Amino acid sequence: MTTHRIVLLGAPGAGKGTQAVILSERLQIPTVSTGELFRKHMREGTDLGELAGRYINGGNLVPDEITIRMVRERLSREDVAGGFILDGFPRTVAQAEALDEMLGEKGITAVVELWVDVEEVIPRLIGRAAKEGRSDDTADVVRQRIRVYREQTRPLHEFYIAKGNLREVNAVGEIEQITERIVAELGR
Ligand code: AMP
């Protein structure tokens, strides 16, 4: 059986979280979502949650050192030994390098980049605020998140092209359709 160690890349609102949940079910491997992990800490009121919240609520990235430490701990657990899907990590080149180091020879099996028109997702992101009660989906914060994405996360596109394992997927369309595109790319 193939072991999948998948990274999902894409702008805020591209549908990484949605696809991660579906793929996780389909491939029977856990999803590790840094956004979810941070939000859990925030709900539980831990020190990490309090610290992370200051960045998240402003639409900024939680510092690399803190994020990397949290992911390293998560990926050291037994349940990811048979594979995993990373949703929202890495978001900087420093995180990507740390991930390579964490995985060692095993490495990532596929990097799937979900492509959307960033301008188009802005209203969708703002609309999500009400539904999910996320504190980081107000108009100003969304704009900041997009800015941060362009400056800090977009460079991962080139980073993974250089590594030769980037699979680009058009993420405009029906959810099921996009899942099929991803699965097709994973099989290549
Ligand atoms: P997400 O749920 O993936 O949209 O993440 C929500 C927020 O959590 C982001 O806007 C960041 O503030 C923070 N966050 C999530 N993942 C990371 C990461 N890999 N590095 C730094 N901050 C992150």
Side-chain angles (χ1 to χ4, degrees), residues 50-111:
E50 207 207 303
L51 181 64
R54 283 185 238 155
Y55 296 94
I56 294 175
N57 292 333
N60 295 303
L61 295 184
V62 179
D64 284 337
E65 197 198 322
I66 297 168
T67 307
I68 290 166
R69 196 185 310 139
M70 181 176 75
V71 171
R72 180 175 285 124
E73 191 277 323
R74 181 66 189 85
L75 293 185
S76 69
R77 297 210 213 137
E78 203 44 45
D79 67 327
V80 295
F84 55 82
I85 299 162
L86 276 175
D87 160 28
F89 184 93
R91 262 179 158 98
T92 65
V93 170
Q95 292 179 12
E97 286 167 345
L99 178 63
D100 277 346
E101 183 235 291
M102 279 178 229
L103 297 178
E105 278 182 11
K106 289 198 305 260
I108 296 162
T109 55
V111 179

Side-chain angles (χ1 to χ4, degrees), residues 129-187:
K131 267 204 285 172
E132 293 180 12
R134 276 177 61 151
S135 52
D136 60 348
D137 278 353
T138 62
D140 281 350
V141 177
V142 164
R143 272 188 272 279
Q144 177 62 13
R145 289 173 66 207
I146 303 283
R147 197 173 306 133
V148 165
Y149 165 74
R150 288 203 169 109
E151 287 169 8
Q152 304 193 56
T153 308
R154 272 301 310 274
L156 291 178
H157 176 79
E158 273 74 35
F159 180 90
Y160 285 118
I161 283 190
K163 297 242 170 217
N165 53 2
L166 189 76
R167 330 267 171 111
E168 298 179 62
V169 170
N170 170 8
V172 178
E174 297 298 323
I175 291 174
E176 299 77 30
Q177 206 182 4
I178 298 161
T179 305
E180 292 317 317
R181 290 181 197 146
I182 298 172
V183 170
E185 280 298 321
L186 291 176

